[in-house]
Amino acid sequence: MTDQQGNPDQLPAEKGQGGSGATYKLAVFEFENFRGKKVELSGECKDVLEKTQRIGSVIVELGPWVGFERPGFAGEQFVLEKGEYPRWSAWTNCMSIYSLSSFRPLKVDSADHKLHLFENTGFEGRKMEIVDDDVPSLWAHGFQDRVASAKAINGTWVGYMYPGYRGCQYVLEQGDFKHWNDWGATAPQIQSVRRVRDMQWHKRGCYIPSFLLYRWIFYT
C-alpha cells in the first residue's frame, strides 16, 4: 500500500453474526491494489457505496464475509475469506459481474462440515452427502449438475454453477434450503462445492483462489 489514507471511515456492526465471541474486520478501497479512499467494516453493511464511490480492492483481516453485487444484500454473491483481494479477479472469475455494494459476515460455528444435496425441490430425488471435503466436480462423483434443494447440516459452504469453483457463487449457511431460490439462484444448477474456512477453526488457512496460488508459486 503506497497511499496514505488518514483516518478511514469505519462502520460498526449493525447486527452480530457468527458464533459466540466471533469478530469480523474488512477494509474496502476505492481503487485496485489497496489505493484510494478506505472504509473499514466490523459488521454488516447494506450499502457501502454511501461511503465510497466504488470498490476496487478488499482486505479481509477477520472473516469470513460475503459481498453482494447490489445494495441490500442482493445480486451475485462473492465469498471473501481472510486475505487480500487486490482487484476484482481475486473475488470472482466472471468477466461481466464483479462489482461489490454490500457486505455481511458469514457464520462459521464449527470446524465440522456436512452437506446434503438433492436433485429435486423439497429434499426429494437423488441425494449426495458430502462430509469434511471439497468437491471440484459433482459429475466426477456420479451426481448430475441439477441441485434443486440442500441441507447444510454443519458448517458453511459455497456452491458454484460450474466445475472447478467457477461461475456464480451461492452461500449455504447451516440450515435447510427447500428450493434453489433460497440460496439466491435462478436455476437449479450447482456443479462444485467447497467448505468456507475460518482461522478460528482451520489453523491451516483458508481457500486460496487459483490465480493467487499461481502468483505465489511463480515468485517463490
Side-chain angles (χ1 to χ4, degrees), residues 12 39 43 49 79 83 94 136 142 144-146 158 162 166-167 174 186:
V39 177
L49 298 182
V79 173
C94 180
Q144 72 285 350
D145 64 339
R146 179 181 170 84
V158 53
Y162 303 119
R166 297 179 299 110
Q174 187 175 20
T186 57

Side-chain angles (χ1 to χ4, degrees), residues 24-217:
Y24 298 88
K25 187 175 180 180
L26 174 148
V28 299
F29 298 82
E30 187 178 8
F31 303 117
E32 294 182 356
N33 298 314
F34 320 115
R35 296 179 297 109
K37 186 176 182 179
K38 177 182 178 182
V39 177
E40 292 184 350
L41 307 178
S42 59
E44 67 178 33
C45 178
K46 295 181 179 180
D47 189 0
V48 74
L49 298 182
E50 292 179 347
K51 290 287 186 177
T52 183
Q53 292 185 345
R54 66 188 298 274
I55 297 174
S57 50
V58 178
I59 295 178
V60 178
E61 295 186 28
L62 297 169
W65 296 69
V66 56
F68 294 84
E69 174 195 3
R70 299 196 297 271
F73 317 123
E76 295 294 331
Q77 306 168 32
F78 307 99
V79 173
L80 302 166
E81 289 165 279
K82 182 179 174 67
E84 297 184 352
Y85 302 80
R87 65 191 304 266
W88 65 268
S89 58
W91 62 73
T92 179
N93 50 43
C94 180
M95 297 292 290
S96 60
I97 300 174
Y98 54 84
S99 60
L100 292 168
S101 300
S102 53
F103 299 85
R104 70 172 178 84
L106 282 176
K107 294 176 287 186
V108 179
D109 298 323
S110 170
D112 300 322
H113 287 80
K114 181 185 287 188
L115 178 68
H116 292 169
L117 303 177
F118 298 86
E119 178 184 13
N120 299 324
T121 58
F123 318 120
E124 300 291 339
R126 296 182 62 205
K127 173 185 173 182
M128 180 176 180
E129 180 179 88
I130 305 169
V131 180
D132 292 329
D133 200 7
D134 299 335
V135 181
S137 174
L138 299 185
W139 281 94
H141 292 262
F143 200 82
Q144 72 285 350
D145 64 339
R146 179 181 170 84
V147 177
S149 56
K151 290 187 177 184
I153 309 299
N154 295 111
T156 299
W157 299 76
V158 53
Y160 295 80
M161 181 175 288
Y162 303 119
Y165 316 122
R166 297 179 299 110
C168 295
Q169 303 177 30
Y170 308 114
V171 172
L172 301 168
E173 290 174 283
Q174 187 175 20
D176 294 348
F177 302 83
K178 294 183 178 180
H179 192 280
W180 63 84
N181 291 157
D182 293 342
W183 59 71
T186 57
Q189 181 177 333
I190 289 180
Q191 294 189 7
S192 54
V193 296
R194 68 173 181 86
R195 299 160 290 172
V196 175
R197 259 67 71 87
D198 185 284
M199 292 300 292
Q200 175 185 2
W201 303 102
H202 306 91
K203 302 306 180 185
R204 294 180 63 184
C206 304
Y207 172 75
I208 302 175
S210 58
F211 102 94
L212 290 177
L213 180 61
Y214 172 81
R215 186 177 66 177
W216 181 85
I217 293 173

